[in-house]
Amino acid sequence: MLGWLNGYVRETRDQIEKEKAKPGITAYWPKSVDIPQIEDFLPFIEEDEPKEPFKSKHKRKLFYTEISDAGYYVKKFSYRYSTRLFAPVRGLFFFPSVAHHLLAKMIFLNKIGVRTVQPALVLERRYRGVKVESLLVTEELKAPHLNEYLNEVKTSEGVRKVVENLVKTVSLMHNNRVHHGDLKNFDNFMVDPETSKIYLLDLDERKTKWLPWWRWHDRKVLYRTLSKRLNNKEFEEADKLLDTLFDKYFC
């Protein structure tokens, strides 16, 4: 049922705890973290949401909340209001839910050395077996976005280091058959200003891509985006640096 494309779901199955939060609502969380209070996040997945989202698009809503002095991002995926004709059928037969799928992907990526924001909790709500909503909760990461970091970094060495870490991160994902899907938007990445290490903030919920075409396509998109970004910054020898890095990591 999981399908041969969902390798990271099978890889991480034993690393995820599960319990019934309420009738019709199931909670999942990584065994490696202390589970937050499930009750604090239930209002986000029930009918009456506790606040307005600060981002809403394509039946998805993103919230920010603070609980016990800790910040969390809450990403909600709704299946009820999809305009696609067979949305209820997809909700019934396709497992896992989008949020569970992303939780498994984050655990798998951290296992292979790709850093992501820390996943904390997933809630999945079903009505008579059909998925209605799913919810992904991640811990807040207090670090600048990649675009913001590139605007602020002053030295050429600092630029080289963060660009190399980005290319290395994407290459590592591809070597493990994980496709990101949105490499044109650097707001999906965050940077530790002390180490220049890259963290994935938002992930594409689509399945793993096994076809070589996706690897070639993403390499082309990432190269073009980085080249434009560095040349706009008037970074000397930008294309030469990128040629060196892509030959090194995308062999």
Side-chain angles (χ1 to χ4, degrees), residues 17-18 45 49-50 73 76 113 117 138 140 150-151 162 181 215 224 234:
E17 293 280 6
K18 171 186 176 182
I45 200 168
E49 293 164 354
Y73 286 101
K76 181 176 182 177
V117 291
T138 59
E140 180 184 16
L150 288 174
N151 287 334
V162 73
R215 180 182 174 93
R224 184 170 58 224
E234 298 181 352

Coordinates of all heavy atoms in Angstrom, one line a residue, residues 17-18 45 49-50 73 76 113 117 138 140 150-151 162 181 215 224 234:
E17 N 6.5 7.2 17.1 CA 5.5 6.7 18.1 C 4.1 7.1 17.6 O 3.9 8.0 16.8 CB 5.7 7.4 19.4 CG 7.0 6.9 20.1 CD 6.8 5.5 20.7 OE1 5.8 4.9 20.6 OE2 7.8 5.0 21.4
K18 N 3.1 6.4 18.2 CA 1.7 6.7 17.7 C 0.7 6.4 18.9 O 0.9 5.5 19.7 CB 1.4 5.7 16.6 CG -0.1 5.7 16.1 CD -0.3 4.6 15.1 CE -1.8 4.5 14.7 NZ -2.0 3.4 13.7
I45 N -6.5 21.4 14.5 CA -7.0 20.4 13.5 C -8.5 20.2 13.6 O -9.1 19.6 12.8 CB -6.3 19.1 13.7 CG1 -6.4 18.2 12.5 CG2 -6.8 18.4 15.0 CD1 -5.5 17.0 12.5
E49 N -10.5 26.9 14.5 CA -9.0 27.2 14.7 C -8.8 28.3 15.6 O -9.6 29.3 15.6 CB -8.4 27.4 13.3 CG -8.4 26.2 12.4 CD -8.2 26.5 10.9 OE1 -8.1 27.7 10.6 OE2 -8.1 25.5 10.2
P50 N -7.8 28.3 16.4 CA -7.6 29.3 17.5 C -7.1 30.7 17.0 O -7.2 31.6 17.7 CB -6.5 28.7 18.3 CG -5.7 27.8 17.4 CD -6.7 27.3 16.4
Y73 N 5.9 26.1 14.6 CA 5.1 26.3 13.4 C 4.2 25.2 13.1 O 4.6 24.0 13.2 CB 6.1 26.5 12.2 CG 6.8 27.8 12.2 CD1 8.1 27.9 12.7 CD2 6.2 29.0 11.8 CE1 8.8 29.1 12.7 CE2 6.9 30.2 11.8 CZ 8.2 30.3 12.3 OH 8.8 31.5 12.3
K76 N -1.0 23.0 8.3 CA -2.3 22.2 8.2 C -2.6 22.0 6.8 O -2.5 22.9 5.9 CB -3.4 23.0 8.9 CG -4.8 22.2 8.8 CD -5.8 23.0 9.6 CE -7.1 22.2 9.6 NZ -8.2 22.9 10.4
G113 N 22.1 12.9 7.2 CA 23.0 14.1 7.3 C 22.5 15.4 6.7 O 23.2 16.4 6.7
V117 N 14.4 21.6 10.0 CA 13.8 22.1 11.3 C 13.3 20.8 12.0 O 13.0 19.8 11.4 CB 12.6 23.0 11.0 CG1 13.1 24.3 10.4 CG2 11.6 22.4 10.1
T138 N 6.4 21.7 13.8 CA 7.8 21.8 13.8 C 8.3 22.8 14.8 O 7.6 23.9 15.0 CB 8.4 22.1 12.5 OG1 8.0 23.3 12.0 CG2 8.1 21.0 11.5
E140 N 10.4 26.0 16.3 CA 10.9 27.2 15.7 C 12.4 27.1 15.6 O 13.1 26.7 16.6 CB 10.5 28.4 16.5 CG 10.9 29.7 16.0 CD 10.6 30.9 16.8 OE1 10.2 30.7 18.0 OE2 10.6 32.1 16.4
L150 N 22.4 35.9 2.6 CA 23.3 36.3 1.5 C 23.3 37.8 1.4 O 24.3 38.4 0.9 CB 22.7 35.7 0.2 CG 23.0 34.2 0.0 CD1 22.3 33.6 -1.2 CD2 24.5 33.9 0.0
N151 N 22.2 38.5 1.8 CA 22.2 39.9 1.8 C 23.1 40.5 2.8 O 23.7 41.6 2.6 CB 20.8 40.5 2.0 CG 19.9 40.3 0.8 OD1 20.3 40.2 -0.3 ND2 18.6 40.2 1.0
V162 N 28.6 29.1 2.4 CA 27.2 28.8 2.5 C 26.7 28.2 1.2 O 25.9 27.3 1.1 CB 26.4 30.0 2.9 CG1 26.3 31.1 1.8 CG2 25.0 29.7 3.3
G181 N 11.9 19.9 -4.9 CA 10.7 20.4 -5.7 C 10.6 21.9 -5.8 O 9.8 22.4 -6.5
R215 N 16.9 14.6 -11.2 CA 18.3 15.0 -10.7 C 18.9 16.0 -11.7 O 19.4 17.0 -11.2 CB 19.2 13.8 -10.6 CG 20.6 14.1 -10.1 CD 21.4 12.7 -10.1 NE 22.7 13.0 -9.8 CZ 23.3 12.9 -8.6 NH1 22.5 12.7 -7.5 NH2 24.5 13.1 -8.3
R224 N 21.1 27.7 -12.0 CA 20.6 29.0 -12.6 C 20.2 30.0 -11.5 O 20.5 31.2 -11.6 CB 19.4 28.7 -13.5 CG 18.8 29.9 -14.3 CD 17.8 29.5 -15.3 NE 16.7 28.8 -14.7 CZ 16.2 27.7 -15.2 NH1 16.7 27.2 -16.4 NH2 15.2 27.1 -14.7
E234 N 27.1 40.8 -7.3 CA 28.4 41.2 -7.8 C 29.5 40.4 -7.2 O 30.6 40.9 -6.9 CB 28.6 42.7 -7.6 CG 27.6 43.6 -8.4 CD 27.8 45.0 -8.2 OE1 28.7 45.4 -7.4 OE2 27.1 45.8 -8.9

